Amino acid sequence: MKACFYYRPYSGQVESLSAGEWKRTAWVRVEPMAPSPLTPRELKKLRQFEYRAVLEYRQVEISGENMIF
C-alpha cells in the first residue's frame, strides 16, 4: 500500500466550485506502526487549505473525505 495527500488553497465554500487544481504530495509506502512523512512544505505558506488523503491498494485509489485545515 502507498498513500499521499491532495491539497489546494481554500477560498471558501462557494469558491470551492471554481477553486484551483489539486496538488499531490509524493507517494509514500504505508507500513504498520511507521510514521508517515506526508507534510508538504508548501502548506506552511497557506492560511487555509483543503485536503484529502488517498490510499492506493492493489492499483485502486481510495480517496478520503475533503477536509479543511
Side-chain angles (χ1 to χ4, degrees):
M1 276 191 293
K2 58 185 182 176
C4 72
F5 283 99
Y6 281 89
Y7 64 96
R8 64 184 177 185
Y10 181 72
S11 302
Q13 183 91 20
V14 175
E15 287 79 8
S16 287
L17 298 173
S18 61
E21 289 187 41
W22 290 94
K23 294 183 181 181
R24 182 179 56 82
T25 62
W27 288 100
V28 294
R29 180 172 288 286
V30 177
E31 298 183 28
M33 306 303 289
S36 296
L38 291 174
T39 307
R41 293 180 186 141
E42 302 91 64
L43 295 183
K44 293 179 183 177
K45 299 174 188 173
L46 304 174
R47 290 182 175 230
Q48 279 193 312
F49 58 92
E50 187 174 14
Y51 69 96
R52 66 177 173 242
V54 178
L55 180 72
E56 184 181 280
Y57 181 68
R58 296 187 180 187
Q59 299 179 343
V60 175
E61 284 190 18
I62 303 163
S63 294
E65 184 177 339
N66 288 2
M67 305 293 289
I68 299 167
F69 183 82

